[in-house]
């Protein structure tokens, strides 16, 4: 429960003065990216506490001690907001991140993605000792029709195609205001399409690679939206974790900058399906209509992230897909729980 996590966190905080270890809270820690981040932070010797309300989290997929360091709580609950002054970094990954879900539920997603994020940022403003915020933003803030590869300054007001995209841009704007008005240090990392092990694909809102590998292992047809020629900058999850940690450790203030975190290359859904088909045998692909709010092409210009935080992706899409396929094979060999 969260209380025991706070106790553990405070115990860590007391020992830190001696050990001089970095301390962090990860929100959304039982989620796909949050679980990978928490696991890496632990392996690097950080003192960490994760928080997740389990609305979409899958702690059962995480090994211990990762799982045991996640408390079940809303990230905007008082216990969590009161704990932020004890850490060096808050990695804010919790969200309702599904574009098409936000199209169907604009108000509900606004409350979690924006209102609660403001509560978190404001508690950091009020903390006796302010941590840096590393916030998960999204390439969806760009919408369609931007220059490719897309640099950060291409984000325009009113270009967002979904409530989710708008909410992420609003959070970035809030970070900027809290930096300018109050000096709260932060960075918004605009993740492009992230994929990898432990990303589950059974929900109708799932990302393409997870949805296809799930469908394959469950003996169902693979659904491909539109003509399949939409192109995405697909980024393997370990690259995103690298970027989060580089942002947390950057020595200079990050001044609420927004930075792209992708691979810097784009591939079409059809090319990924062909790659999967070569390795898995013939696949039955079923065409479906394009989902409202989906951006057709994403391609990150990652030069700013390289120069500001030293981010360089080390796992390319094809290697990443191979690793993801291996995880799915093991997962389903063990019964596919989750
Ligand atoms: P995810 O759904 O797997 O993880 C999000 C986690 O947040 C879930 O475990 C959920 O239970 C938790 N959560 C939701 N509301 C909460 C609340 N009020 N309090 C506590 N926990 C709460 O999603 P993900 O793919 O791991 O995404 C992580 C972050 O990265 C999100 O902010 C998302 O918008 C962003 N992002 C993801 C991608 C991607 O391709 N996966 C791309 C761009 C941005």
């Amino acid at each position: 429960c969260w209380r025991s996590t706070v106790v553990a966190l405070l115990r860590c905080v007391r020992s830190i003065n001696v050990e001089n270890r970095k301390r962090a809270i990860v929100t959304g820690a039982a989620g796909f990216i949050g679980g990978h981040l928490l696991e890496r932070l632990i392996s690097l010797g950080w003192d960490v506490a994760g928080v997740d309300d389990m609305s979409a989290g899958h702690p059962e997929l995480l090994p211990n001690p990762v799982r045991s360091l996640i408390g079940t709580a809303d990230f905007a609950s008082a216990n969590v907001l009161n704990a932020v002054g004890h850490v060096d970094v808050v990695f804010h990954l919790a969200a309702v991140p599904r574009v098409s879900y936000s199209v169907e539920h604009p108000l509900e997603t606004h409350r979690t993605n924006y209102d609660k994020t403001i509560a978190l940022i404001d508690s950091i403003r009020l903390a006796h000792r302010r941590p840096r915020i590393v916030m998960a933003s999204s390439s969806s803030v760009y919408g369609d029709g931007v220059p490719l590869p897309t640099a950060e300054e291409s984000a325009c007001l009113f270009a967002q195609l979904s409530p989710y995209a708008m909410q992420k841009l609003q959070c970035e704007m809030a970070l900027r205001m809290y930096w300018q008005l109050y000096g709260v240090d932060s960075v918004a990392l605009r993740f492009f399409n992230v994929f990898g092990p432990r990303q589950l694909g059974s929900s109708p809102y799932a990302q393409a690679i997870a949805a296809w590998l799930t469908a394959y292992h469950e003996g169902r047809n693979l659904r491909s939206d539109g003509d399949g020629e939409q192109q995405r900058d697909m980024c393997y999850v370990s690259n995103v974790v690298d970027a989060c940690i580089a942002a947390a450790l950057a020595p200079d203030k990050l001044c609420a900058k927004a930075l792209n975190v992708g691979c810097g290359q784009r591939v079409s859904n059809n090319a990924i399906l062909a790659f999967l088909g070569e390795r898995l045998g013939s696949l039955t692909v079923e065409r479906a209509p394009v989902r409202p709010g989906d951006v057709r092409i994403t391609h990150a210009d990652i030069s700013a992230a390289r120069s500001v935080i030293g981010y360089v992706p080390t796992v390319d899409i094809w290697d990443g897909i191979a690793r993801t396929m291996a995880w799915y094979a093991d997962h389903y060999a063990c019964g596919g729980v989750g």
Side-chain angles (χ1 to χ4, degrees):
C1 70
W2 174 245
R3 179 169 291 117
S4 62
T5 305
V6 170
V7 170
L9 180 64
L10 294 176
R11 197 183 310 121
C12 292
V13 168
R14 277 195 292 278
S15 66
I16 278 149
N17 293 336
V18 182
E19 298 174 18
N20 202 23
R21 294 160 73 195
K22 285 273 185 192
R23 292 152 284 172
I25 291 174
V26 177
T27 73
F32 161 52
I33 302 172
H36 283 278
L37 176 60
L38 196 64
E39 189 172 26
R40 179 83 71 81
L41 291 169
I42 292 167
S43 75
L44 292 173
W46 287 51
D47 276 310
V48 284
V51 54
D52 200 298
D53 69 355
M54 304 303 165
S55 53
H58 287 279
E60 72 282 3
L61 296 179
L62 294 168
N64 265 323
V66 183
R67 193 190 317 173
S68 65
L69 288 173
I70 302 175
T72 300
D74 191 312
F75 73 84
S77 63
N79 279 339
V80 182
L81 300 185
N82 290 336
V84 296
H86 295 288
V87 298
D88 301 299
V89 183
V90 172
F91 295 96
H92 180 39
L93 273 63
V96 183
R98 284 148 277 277
V99 167
S100 41
Y101 185 85
S102 80
V103 172
E104 292 158 17
H105 304 278
L107 184 59
E108 179 202 323
T109 52
H110 184 86
R111 288 190 176 127
T112 297
N113 294 346
Y114 182 73
D115 292 347
K116 290 183 182 181
T117 296
I118 292 291
L120 180 69
I121 301 170
D122 202 56
S123 73
I124 289 169
R125 171 180 76 87
L126 296 169
H128 59 282
R129 190 171 155 276
R130 291 174 177 166
R132 171 176 288 171
I133 308 168
V134 176
M135 192 195 78
S137 185
S138 164
S139 60
S140 63
V141 301
Y142 293 116
D144 272 330
V146 282
L148 300 167
T150 307
E152 287 78 356
E153 51 276 15
S154 300
C156 292
L157 287 177
F158 313 122
Q160 294 66 48
L161 301 179
S162 65
Y164 169 74
M166 182 191 76
Q167 292 149 11
K168 287 291 186 186
L169 189 66
Q170 286 177 305
C171 289
E172 289 190 11
M173 292 164 71
L175 288 180
R176 185 66 62 93
M177 193 193 71
Y178 271 79
W179 163 249
Q180 287 170 345
L181 265 183
Y182 309 111
V184 174
D185 192 29
S186 66
V187 64
L189 300 180
R190 290 179 182 160
F191 300 162
F192 280 60
N193 292 72
V194 191
F195 71 97
R198 301 200 294 251
Q199 184 179 40
L200 296 180
S202 43
S203 134
Y205 306 106
Q207 300 268 24
I209 292 174
W212 291 332
L213 289 173
T214 300
Y216 168 77
H217 282 283
E218 293 181 357
R220 290 184 279 106
N221 293 347
L222 280 60
R223 193 191 84 194
S224 179
D225 300 340
D227 61 5
E229 284 307 310
Q230 58 271 59
Q231 298 177 336
R232 301 276 151 73
D233 189 324
M234 305 296 305
C235 192
Y236 186 67
V237 66
S238 69
N239 299 323
V240 170
V241 168
D242 290 345
C244 290
I245 292 171
L249 294 176
D252 297 331
K253 297 274 186 201
L254 291 174
C255 317
K257 284 190 182 68
L259 299 172
N260 288 341
V261 175
C263 260
Q265 59 182 123
R266 61 184 194 262
V267 295
S268 70
N269 282 357
N270 287 340
I272 298 171
L273 284 168
F275 181 88
L276 293 180
E278 280 164 23
R279 277 146 192 86
L280 299 174
S282 71
L283 303 171
T284 311
V285 177
E286 192 175 275
R287 294 282 165 203
V290 174
R291 292 191 287 188
D294 267 1
V295 175
R296 186 157 171 86
I297 304 180
T298 66
H299 184 164
D301 176 341
I302 53 174
S303 49
R306 188 181 300 121
S307 72
V308 176
I309 58 170
Y311 165 68
V312 179
T314 54
V315 179
D316 75 7
I317 175 170
W318 308 116
D319 186 11
I321 294 179
R323 295 181 194 202
T324 309
M325 288 169 65
W327 181 82
Y328 264 88
D330 280 354
H331 179 63
Y332 276 90
C334 298
V337 180

